[in-house]
Amino acid sequence: MFRFTKFHLLFFFVASTTIFSCSNSKETITGTSEAALKATTTKSAKTVHSVDEEYEWVYGNFPGAQVYERELIYEKSKYYDVLKFETQLGDSMVAYFDITCFYGK
């Protein structure tokens, strides 16, 4: 039988609040840790200076995570890397990184 943990309840609350308040937005809430909530949209993307720094952030905040997709997007004159990954617990997450300062240079 499935047990709801505090993590599941918090995730459900954050996800449902985001879905109802931002239903037309491209922005996505991807996690429930304080660190995860800081890089979940292009508006709150973490500025990095290298691709290595992106992966260091993911693995530092989500030990045991597995990145399965990396996507480049261009929005409002800025470039972003979007990393999609699965946490050690099996949760799918997305993190946005502002790479404007080094992309194409």
Side-chain angles (χ1 to χ4, degrees):
M1 180 174 244
F2 184 77
R3 284 184 38 219
F4 282 100
T5 63
K6 289 180 184 178
F7 175 81
H8 291 107
L9 293 174
L10 183 58
F11 180 80
F12 176 76
F13 174 75
V14 171
S16 62
T17 302
T18 302
I19 289 168
F20 291 113
S21 65
C22 302
S23 59
N24 287 333
S25 175
K26 291 184 193 176
E27 301 169 0
T28 307
I29 287 293
T30 58
T32 55
S33 74
E34 185 177 329
L37 294 173
K38 291 184 180 176
T40 58
T41 68
T42 54
K43 291 179 184 175
S44 63
K46 177 167 177 45
T47 300
V48 293
H49 297 88
S50 70
V51 173
D52 287 342
E53 195 176 336
E54 298 171 15
Y55 286 88
E56 288 171 7
W57 185 91
V58 169
Y59 299 136
N61 288 291
F62 300 95
Q66 295 293 315
V67 175
Y68 60 85
E69 187 176 331
R70 182 172 161 227
E71 178 183 8
L72 174 67
I73 62 173
Y74 180 76
E75 187 175 297
K76 297 181 182 174
S77 302
K78 290 192 172 197
Y79 291 95
Y80 300 92
D81 262 347
V82 181
L83 294 187
K84 296 179 182 178
F85 58 97
E86 187 173 297
T87 67
Q88 196 170 24
L89 298 174
D91 297 315
S92 292
M93 310 286 268
V94 179
Y96 288 78
F97 299 94
D98 182 346
I99 61 169
T100 307
C101 68
F102 72 90
Y103 179 74
K105 296 180 172 128

